[in-house]
């Protein structure tokens, strides 16, 4: 109902803030700054559902993008009470860990599915829950709330859902999500496997290669300092690498740090081995068009940088802080630093992972590094795994932080002090 404020001196009046339906349109257009973040939200849901295998098939020529998982699945009641509500998530009402594998649950905001409308107009969801002899199929039409005449309606009227229950084997459990009517921008993204936009830029394709072979090929190409992932390979391959870098998938067998002379290493590498072991134990496999993704981190990646404590250094991190409000911030990780700039440029910076998923990509300025020795940041890469805290500082896009949050400021100061007092002095040597 419309409320009116009147000119009444010295008399308090009450009014209410309103949320217009346009907010859903804004969500669909601008939560995420690239398609990989929208896709990652769907993958995160599969991970939270205890899926061990997730299969992605991009078929832009047929106007489809499909994600299939073997997780716990949903039934019609789950779909109606959780899926169809924007910004309602009860994943953590009873526990912060997944039921079967006790994975730290990623999702809690409940906007991931509406964000998919950023890259498609229709989404089909097919799911079955174990021990239930039926499945459901639902088709969601996002296109309606994108039309001007719907902008003044209530948000729950802005998308149409066609739903049906069907028989299924009792022991089946899975979820299939099919994106249809892909936006032109997303379709172009998926079709761009061989960059040909600029004649002066030499492009490379990895068609037919396994993931390990792709990384091996990239590490060969970086010997040319002009090589840049964002320019020299298609956006399809950048999408694949972005997902591999951000998801809770395994590391390469020799990654993240390959140390030949372990007996000469001064730094304690137990933290890194524990991180790698913990990630492997998550048992989460992502197959993207037949390519099994792994974290593409493998340092050192140049022929003449091989010797630890001579060509590069590795610094292990393990820290815990307790704040006045009794909240805690605990994290582990490592920082790798070598004797010259890291190539490709996309592998410079700091990755922060919450619930094993990266928040954005590598941050090249290391959380706005304060000191003047910033030239050494180009020689440096690091990963921080947040074990407790910081999540409330995360912005809704899962790509950035509220910089005034106490946990963020604490982490930022610790990273800056570590770089300034320990890592960069070593770097100068």
């Amino acid at each position: 109902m419309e409320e009116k404020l009147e000119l009444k001196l010295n008399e308090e009046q009450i009014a209410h803030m309103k949320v217009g339906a346009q907010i859903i349109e804004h969500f669909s257009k601008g939560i995420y700054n690239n398609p990989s973040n929208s896709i990652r939200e769907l993958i995160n849901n599969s991970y939270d559902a205890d899926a061990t295998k997730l299969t992605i098939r991009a078929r832009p020529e047929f106007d489809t993008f499909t994600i299939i998982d073997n997780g716990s699945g949903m039934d019609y009641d789950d779909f109606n009470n959780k899926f169809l509500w924007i910004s309602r998530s009860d994943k953590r009402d009873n526990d912060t860990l997944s039921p079967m594998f006790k994975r730290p649950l990623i999702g809690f905001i409940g906007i991931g599915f509406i964000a998919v409308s950023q890259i498609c107009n229709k989404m089909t969801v097919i799911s079955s829950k174990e021990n239930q002899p039926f499945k459901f199929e639902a088709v969601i039409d996002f296109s309606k709330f994108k039309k001007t005449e719907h902008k003044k309606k209530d948000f729950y009227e802005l998308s149409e859902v066609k739903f049906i229950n069907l028989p299924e084997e009792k022991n089946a459990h899975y979820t299939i999500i099919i994106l249809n009517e892909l936006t032109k921008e997303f379709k172009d993204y998926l079709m761009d496997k061989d960059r040909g936009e600029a004649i002066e830029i030499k492009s490379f394709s990895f068609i037919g290669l396994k993931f390990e072979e792709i990384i091996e090929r990239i590490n060969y190409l970086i010997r040319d300092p002009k090589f840049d992932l964002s320019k020299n390979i298609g956006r399809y391959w950048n999408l694949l690498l972005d997902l591999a870098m951000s998801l809770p998938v395994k590391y390469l067998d020799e990654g993240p740090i390959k140390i030949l002379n372990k007996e000469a290493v001064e730094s304690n590498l137990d933290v890194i081995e524990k991180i790698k072991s913990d990630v492997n134990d998550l048992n989460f496999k992502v197959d993207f068009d037949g390519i099994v993704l792994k974290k593409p981190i493998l340092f050192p990646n140049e022929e003449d940088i091989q010797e630890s404590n001579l060509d590069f250094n590795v610094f292990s991190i393990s820290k815990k802080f307790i704040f006045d409000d009794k909240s805690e911030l605990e994290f582990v990780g490592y920082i790798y630093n070598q004797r010259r700039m890291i190539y490709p440029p996309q592998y410079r910076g700091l990755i922060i992972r919450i619930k094993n998923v990266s928040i954005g990509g590598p941050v090249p300025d290391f959380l706005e590094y304060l000191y003047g020795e910033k030239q050494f940041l180009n020689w440096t890469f690091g990963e921080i795994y947040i074990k407790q805290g910081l999540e409330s500082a995360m912005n809704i896009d899962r790509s950035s932080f509220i910089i005034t949050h106490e946990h963020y400021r604490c982490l930022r100061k610790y990273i800056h002090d570590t770089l300034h007092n320990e890592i960069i002095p070593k770097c100068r040597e």
Side-chain angles (χ1 to χ4, degrees), residues 117-367:
S117 63
Q118 184 174 335
I119 57 177
C120 70
N121 285 326
K122 284 189 178 178
M123 175 169 67
T124 300
V125 181
I126 305 168
S127 193
S128 176
K129 217 171 183 177
E130 194 169 20
N131 297 322
Q132 295 184 353
F134 55 83
K135 64 182 177 182
F136 75 83
E137 180 175 331
V139 180
I140 304 171
D141 186 352
F142 294 122
S143 64
K144 299 205 170 188
F145 72 72
K146 297 180 181 180
K147 296 178 181 178
T148 304
E149 63 266 24
H150 287 270
K151 291 182 180 178
K152 294 183 179 179
K153 295 186 177 182
D154 293 334
F155 78 90
Y156 52 79
E157 297 176 346
L158 295 181
S159 62
E160 182 178 270
V161 180
K162 295 181 180 178
F163 178 91
I164 186 171
N165 282 312
L166 300 166
E168 179 56 285
E169 294 180 7
K170 195 170 182 180
N171 62 349
H173 55 95
Y174 58 83
T175 296
I176 303 171
I177 294 177
I178 306 169
L179 308 184
N180 293 110
E181 296 185 16
L182 308 179
T183 63
K184 181 182 183 303
E185 294 77 13
F186 185 44
K187 195 180 295 187
D188 289 346
Y189 213 95
L190 297 175
M191 296 289 284
D192 183 13
K193 294 186 178 181
D194 188 6
R195 283 209 106 111
E197 300 171 5
I199 297 174
E200 67 275 12
I201 296 176
K202 185 177 181 180
S203 63
F204 299 92
S205 179
F206 305 121
I207 294 173
L209 299 182
K210 295 180 180 178
F211 190 81
E212 290 82 354
E213 293 171 332
I214 292 174
I215 301 306
E216 185 180 344
R217 176 71 171 150
I218 289 174
N219 289 343
Y220 173 79
L221 293 170
I222 63 169
R223 297 172 191 177
D224 179 358
K226 294 181 180 179
F227 176 78
D228 188 322
L229 285 175
S230 65
K231 296 177 181 177
N232 295 106
I233 68 173
R235 287 174 292 179
Y236 171 90
W237 301 110
N238 275 298
L239 170 65
L240 188 145
L241 290 170
D242 284 346
L243 290 173
M245 182 71 88
S246 66
L247 296 174
V249 294
K250 293 182 178 182
Y251 286 90
L252 293 164
D253 290 344
E254 293 186 316
I257 310 296
K258 181 171 62 176
I259 297 178
L260 301 178
N261 58 333
K262 291 186 178 181
E263 67 284 350
V265 176
E266 296 175 2
S267 303
N268 181 3
L269 299 178
D270 290 346
V271 169
I272 298 176
E273 292 302 317
K274 181 66 165 59
I275 287 172
K276 186 173 180 179
S277 174
D278 288 347
V279 171
N280 288 347
D281 289 344
L282 295 173
N283 189 25
F284 188 59
K285 177 181 176 181
V286 177
D287 174 333
F288 194 117
D289 284 348
I291 300 172
V292 177
L293 303 186
K294 296 183 180 180
K295 287 187 175 64
I297 305 167
L298 182 59
F299 291 109
N301 58 2
E302 297 180 70
E303 281 188 328
D304 60 340
I305 295 181
Q306 295 292 331
E307 295 291 319
S308 177
N309 291 332
L310 176 65
D311 300 322
F312 68 89
N313 294 293
V314 183
F315 300 82
S316 294
I317 291 172
S318 181
K319 198 69 178 176
K320 183 176 182 177
F321 295 93
I322 301 176
F323 300 88
D324 292 341
D325 63 357
K326 308 302 181 186
S327 65
E328 297 180 0
L329 173 64
E330 184 178 5
F331 52 88
V332 297
Y334 68 90
I335 292 180
Y336 166 89
N337 174 269
Q338 65 180 42
R339 61 179 169 82
R340 64 164 177 258
M341 284 195 292
I342 289 173
Y343 287 99
Q346 289 78 9
Y347 288 7
R348 303 169 190 164
L350 182 70
I351 293 181
I352 298 174
R353 300 188 187 275
I354 295 179
K355 311 296 183 185
N356 297 299
V357 173
S358 72
I359 309 305
V363 182
D365 66 359
F366 283 80
L367 311 182

Side-chain angles (χ1 to χ4, degrees), residues 46-84:
S46 297
Y47 173 86
D48 285 348
D50 280 322
T52 58
K53 183 177 180 181
L54 183 140
T55 303
I56 298 173
R57 292 295 179 261
R59 297 290 182 266
E61 64 274 20
F62 300 119
D63 208 20
T64 63
F65 187 94
T66 306
I67 297 177
I68 305 170
D69 74 51
N70 64 348
S72 56
M74 294 182 286
D75 60 20
Y76 66 94
D77 194 46
D78 296 326
F79 179 79
N80 185 49
N81 291 314
K82 303 171 188 176
F83 193 100
L84 289 182

Side-chain angles (χ1 to χ4, degrees), residues 109 359 391-403:
I109 299 174
I359 309 305
E391 192 172 25
S392 57
M394 184 174 61
N395 282 317
I396 197 170
D397 64 355
R398 294 185 186 271
S399 296
S400 57
F401 292 98
I402 301 168
I403 62 174

